[in-house]
Amino acid sequence: MSNPARTYHHAHHFPSAQDESEAAKLGMWVFLATEILLFSGLFMAYASYRYTHPEMFKTVHQLLDWKLGAVNTMVLIFSSLTMALSVRSAQLSKQGQTVGFLAITLVCGAAFLVVKYFEYSHKFHLGTLPGGGPLGHWNPDYAALTAEHGADFVAKLKSVESPHIFIGIYFLMTGLHGVHVIIGMLAITWALVRSMRGDFSSKYFFPVECVGLYWHLVDLIWIYLFPLLYLVG
């Protein structure tokens, strides 16, 4: 079977393969701009509530484990490196390296989600969930929180107004980001399978490049989320 990368022909409505590549990358950049707009709205909501409830944010953010957040930050930064290396390997027609770096990036994405699973599970266990009022889900296990954070913290937590707002923002922003991580992992899997087939070479690599652009945006958004949520105090 011939290698598709060596026999690749650009679509008929493009004058050249380079024009097709540039159009694909331009389309990806436009798409990423819409993603930035989506998260910008959430960042504005965060800023608004942070301004009106400063003490609440400083108190409730202590329910988050900054160490786990830091681990996930390092995992995603490392995954950005391996993603960039996979693009470079595809540009140099190094199929084995492309496959290896894409696989490592995929493992990093899975590791990120595993850590996030443990974080979410802990919040469900403690009852520190979004929603207020009689029908809400904010129902902390204060005995467990006292054992974990101390009586002084629990007393302060009870005194602040609307603590569920911060938790709601946390779940909304990290949850939406997690969905993007899953989408990115699906795209990386697609690129990995095609790379294993030998579809990419120095003459045809822009699909890997577009997947890399998306993954870098996912990583960049987390770099903003980590200090805003975990280090706000």
Side-chain angles (χ1 to χ4, degrees):
M1 182 179 294
S2 62
N3 189 326
R6 296 173 183 170
T7 60
Y8 172 74
H9 298 286
H10 59 274
H12 67 88
H13 51 279
F14 289 102
S16 68
Q18 182 178 358
D19 289 327
E20 182 181 27
S21 172
E22 291 178 354
K25 286 186 284 187
L26 176 60
M28 176 55 68
W29 279 112
V30 172
F31 170 71
L32 296 182
T34 66
E35 291 290 283
I36 292 174
L37 289 175
L38 171 63
F39 278 94
S40 294
L42 296 179
F43 285 130
M44 291 300 294
Y46 171 95
S48 176
Y49 280 112
R50 175 71 175 84
Y51 178 77
T52 56
H53 300 78
E55 290 302 319
M56 182 270 286
F57 268 59
K58 290 181 181 179
T59 300
V60 183
H61 96 280
Q62 297 177 55
L63 294 172
L64 307 183
D65 191 334
W66 68 268
K67 295 178 182 178
L68 291 180
V71 168
N72 263 349
T73 302
M74 290 185 289
V75 167
L76 286 188
I77 290 175
F78 179 71
S79 74
S80 270
L81 171 63
T82 56
M83 188 71 239
L85 290 173
S86 70
V87 174
R88 182 57 178 166
S89 298
Q91 292 172 337
L92 297 176
S93 300
K94 296 181 177 180
Q95 179 183 354
Q97 291 186 13
T98 304
V99 170
F101 286 128
L102 285 174
I104 294 173
T105 307
L106 192 62
V107 170
C108 288
F112 177 90
L113 293 179
V114 169
V115 173
K116 189 55 62 180
Y117 166 78
F118 284 111
E119 280 194 81
Y120 280 11
S121 296
H122 191 56
K123 300 295 178 294
F124 277 87
H125 175 71
L126 294 178
T128 51
L129 301 173
L135 300 179
H137 302 286
W138 173 261
N139 186 28
D141 184 345
Y142 289 114
L145 287 173
T146 300
E148 185 172 322
H149 296 279
D152 291 340
F153 169 77
V154 171
K156 192 170 184 179
L157 181 64
K158 291 180 179 180
S159 67
V160 296
E161 179 185 358
S162 304
H164 62 276
I165 290 178
F166 177 86
I167 295 298
I169 291 175
Y170 163 78
F171 272 100
L172 179 60
M173 299 183 80
T174 59
L176 183 61
H177 176 265
V179 171
H180 283 73
V181 171
I182 293 173
I183 294 173
M185 291 175 64
L186 292 175
I188 292 170
T189 301
W190 170 78
L192 176 61
V193 171
R194 292 196 61 186
S195 182
M196 293 173 67
R197 291 192 323 212
D199 287 3
F200 305 123
S201 72
S202 59
K203 297 181 180 179
Y204 177 65
F205 57 84
F206 72 80
V208 183
E209 199 170 14
C210 289
V211 171
L213 288 174
Y214 180 85
W215 191 253
H216 291 320
L217 177 68
V218 171
D219 297 349
L220 180 63
I221 290 172
W222 178 258
I223 290 176
Y224 281 95
L225 291 180
F226 173 59
L228 289 176
L229 296 173
Y230 291 83
L231 307 178
V232 67

